[in-house]
Every structure is written in structure tokens, then in C-alpha cells.
Amino acid sequence: MRGRAHTTAGADTTAGAGTTAGARTTVRARLLVLLTAVLALAAVAVTSVLHATARADRRDRVQSGGPEVTPGAVSLTEQGRTEQGRTEPNRMVFRSMAWGPHRDEIVTVPASSPAAPRTASGVKCLRFYAAAGTGVCLQAVHGPVSDTYRALILDARLKERRRYDVPGIPSRARVSPTGHFAAWTAFVGGDSYAGTNFSTRAAIVDVRTGRLIPSLESFAIVKDGRRYTSPDVNFWGVTFAADDRTFYATLATQGKTYLVRGDLRTQTVTTVRTNVECPSLSPDGTRIAFKKRVPGLPKDAPWRLYVLDLRTLRETPLAERRSVDDQAVWKDTRTLVYALPGDYGADLYEIPADGTGTPRRLTTAAVSPAFLG
């Protein structure tokens, strides 16, 4: 019995040693796998940082053949010029996307020579618009963990007058023809009805008093002649009339988009037409330029530019055949300007507003234009 016990004990000792050695081997193997993974992730991180640094360094260098940009004074009070009985804009201001030390700054060029050397203001914006001596500039504030965003109301010399927090990534910006109101739209996550998708917030501020309407979702909605409520309502793309009361915007609900006419005094919006996005009211207040989803086009490029006559509600398709994901700007009563992807982010194009003609590139490396005068 003792022998068998001794033998058994010996067998148990050997098995224990083997088990311990196997466990050590497994631990070492796991540690080796973990170390390899950590080193691989570190290598990826270092490579990403070096790539980002190199790209940032390239962004700070003036690209060969790119537009000439120099610092200088930029004003938002340029007067228009009269030609053949029509008032033509005198200056164009926009966000320059040309690589170099002035990338993302608001710059100005003569409206008649959009490819001319640019004068850079030193003010950087993600989205920008200006009218009647008032500018709105949507900016990113870079933090150690994530970015936040803000809207600056600027005076005619691009000096900050007011500042507001923006709850998401800036998308659209507009100023009323009088300069008394400004609006912006941001993409926002976290709404329960939106799931993993983004929703939007459209805000309007009275520049004179500073009073902010943080979301148009607080406005009463009249749809098809009746009061309408739904938890999935979203607004974006505000455009103003000259009466300091009327505005237009896009309303999205239940999978459809609508052009709505808003009233700042009664705080109501009324649906006008379906399948309208990013409206832009003409200087004479008679037409709306907008992008429209056209059946049969690719899901990632579904839009075409149209102009809607507000009196007859007749739509005119424009001659631009590419998908334009932008809120077009009226250069004057006859011409629309919009952005399309370019080598340095975006380029600006123009097209007649009556459906004739062909697209013409105005300038490269530019976005968020406004025409002064």
C-alpha cells in the first residue's frame, strides 16, 4: 500500500510539474501575443501620427500652382456696382482651402475676378456667410480629447460681436439680407429616434439683441393645413427673406423632406412643397434654389439642383448634372454658385438659374462663398 501510495504520489508530483510547466508556457505565449499586439498597435499609432504630422506639414505649405494668398484687411461692407441697370456684387468672400499658412481663413477677391490673388483675414471658419456688414463664422475648438464647436457673429471688420455654443458639427450658415439675423445648422448625435444616424439642429439669432432660438423644433408646424407634431422632426438649411420676418428651411419627418416657410414673429413653419433640401432664396425673393433627390441616381450621389418659382411652384432643373451636396448661393438674380469636391477639399462653380448654359468653375480650393453688394 505504501509502495502504491508512493508511486501514486510520485505520479501526482510529475503531473503537477507538467501542468505547472504547461501553464507557464501558456502564460508566456499569451504574454508574447499581447506584447506583439501592443507593438503592432504602437507601430500603427506611430505611423498614423507621422502620417498626420506629414499631412499637416504639407497643409501648411503653399502648393505649387495654387492660388496666391497674402494677409490683409477684409471688410464685409463692400458696395455693389451698377452695370446695365443691374446691381452686381463687388467682392466675393469665402473660406480658402488652399494649402498653406492661410488655409481655412476667410479671404476676399473681386467678384469679377474670382481666381485673383486672395486677401486673407486671419479668421478661420468651417462654415461662413455674410450680408449687410454682418458675418457668421462656425468654428471648431480643438480639445485634448474631442472637438467642440461655436458660432461667432462678426462685424464688418470680422471682429467678434457675440459667441454661441454649437451642439454638433457645423453644416450650413446664413445671414439675412438686412444683416439683422443669422442662422446655422449642425449635425447632432444622440437623439433616441435617430439610432446611430445624425440628426440636425437649426438655430437663429437676432444679431441686434443677441436673442437665440437654439432649435427650430420649438416652432409650431402646419403641415397640409393642419397642426403637426412628431418626435422625428429635423430642420436645416435656413434662408432669409428681406422683411426680417420670413425665412425658408428644410423640414424632415417620417422619411420625407419639405420646404417650409417660417415666421419669426408667430414662431410657426408651414409646409410648401415636398422633396426640397437646402433652400436658398433669390435676391428678389421670387425663387428658391434647392437640391432635390432624384429617383434612379446612386444613393451616395442622389441630388440635382433645381429652382422653384414661389408664385407658380414650377420647378426648373439646372444644367449641372453632377450631384451637388451644398446650399447654393445666389451670386445675383441670374446666377447660382455652389461647391463640388476638389483636389484640396472643394472648388466653386457657377450655373445660370434658368436651366440654360453649362457649369463653369469659378475658383479652386474654396467653399462657403458670399457675394457683397
Side-chain angles (χ1 to χ4, degrees):
M1 293 294 294
R2 290 176 183 173
R4 285 195 295 272
H6 177 76
T7 302
T8 303
D12 291 344
T13 301
T14 303
T19 301
T20 302
R24 290 174 179 170
T25 301
T26 302
V27 170
R28 283 198 297 269
R30 290 176 178 174
L31 287 174
L32 181 60
V33 171
L34 178 60
L35 179 60
T36 302
V38 169
L39 291 175
L41 290 174
V44 170
V46 170
T47 301
S48 298
V49 170
L50 292 176
H51 179 74
T53 302
R55 182 173 176 81
D57 183 58
R58 290 197 304 271
R59 286 162 61 100
D60 289 338
R61 297 178 185 175
V62 177
Q63 76 268 26
S64 176
E68 179 183 342
V69 188
T70 57
V74 174
S75 171
L76 302 181
T77 56
E78 294 283 351
Q79 297 297 314
R81 66 189 189 281
T82 300
E83 291 186 2
Q84 298 179 350
R86 296 189 301 263
T87 299
E88 303 289 344
N90 189 42
R91 305 290 296 181
M92 179 171 75
V93 290
F94 56 94
R95 171 191 171 195
S96 177
M97 303 188 74
W99 285 3
H102 302 291
R103 182 178 170 89
D104 297 328
E105 291 185 21
I106 300 307
V107 301
T108 184
V109 295
S112 59
S113 302
R118 303 172 178 183
T119 301
S121 65
V123 177
K124 293 190 175 185
C125 307
L126 296 176
R127 289 290 184 269
F128 174 81
Y129 197 75
T134 297
V136 58
C137 169
L138 306 184
Q139 294 181 329
V141 181
H142 302 296
V145 178
S146 61
D147 292 346
T148 57
Y149 302 94
R150 64 191 181 192
L152 304 183
I153 304 301
L154 307 176
D155 67 12
R157 297 183 179 181
L158 295 183
K159 301 300 182 183
E160 181 180 334
R161 295 177 58 184
R162 302 183 187 276
R163 177 183 299 189
Y164 302 89
D165 292 333
V166 175
I169 300 172
S171 171
R172 309 294 180 206
R174 278 295 188 270
V175 175
S176 66
T178 61
H180 294 162
F181 291 90
W184 55 85
T185 305
F187 289 111
V188 182
D191 286 333
S192 59
Y193 59 81
T196 58
N197 296 324
F198 285 103
S199 58
T200 58
R201 292 285 184 280
I204 295 179
V205 63
D206 187 327
V207 173
R208 299 160 297 179
T209 65
R211 178 176 176 267
L212 175 69
I213 300 169
S215 175
L216 291 181
E217 293 175 24
S218 63
F219 278 38
I221 301 170
V222 179
K223 179 176 174 289
D224 300 326
R226 298 181 179 181
R227 180 71 179 267
Y228 177 81
T229 60
S230 177
D232 73 339
V233 165
N234 279 282
F235 291 93
W236 66 85
V238 173
T239 183
F240 293 98
D243 60 4
D244 277 349
R245 176 174 180 172
T246 306
F247 68 91
Y248 294 85
T250 298
L251 161 67
T253 182
Q254 302 296 316
K256 292 184 178 180
T257 59
Y258 300 84
L259 173 68
V260 294
R261 182 176 58 252
D263 189 318
L264 288 171
R265 295 182 190 173
T266 62
Q267 296 207 349
T268 59
V269 296
T270 303
T271 59
V272 176
R273 195 172 184 83
T274 60
N275 196 15
V276 172
E277 298 185 48
C278 298
S280 182
L281 185 63
S282 62
D284 58 12
T286 64
R287 291 156 292 160
I288 291 278
F290 65 99
K291 64 178 190 179
K292 173 181 177 178
R293 291 181 183 269
V294 177
L297 296 182
K299 290 184 178 180
D300 60 345
W303 293 290
R304 289 289 186 267
L305 285 179
Y306 283 72
V307 168
L308 175 70
D309 186 305
L310 288 173
R311 184 179 62 84
T312 65
L313 295 184
R314 178 176 176 269
E315 292 182 358
T316 299
L318 301 190
E320 174 60 80
R321 304 303 299 167
R322 291 166 291 186
S323 182
V324 178
D325 185 10
D326 193 16
Q327 186 176 15
V329 170
W330 291 83
K331 177 182 177 181
D332 49 42
T333 57
R334 297 162 293 130
T335 311
L336 286 160
V337 175
Y338 51 93
L340 284 172
D343 291 340
Y344 304 101
D347 298 334
L348 292 177
Y349 292 79
E350 69 175 9
I351 193 79
D354 61 1
T356 65
T358 57
R360 184 176 76 90
R361 185 165 66 178
L362 279 181
T363 189
T364 61
V367 74
S368 292
F371 292 88
L372 305 181

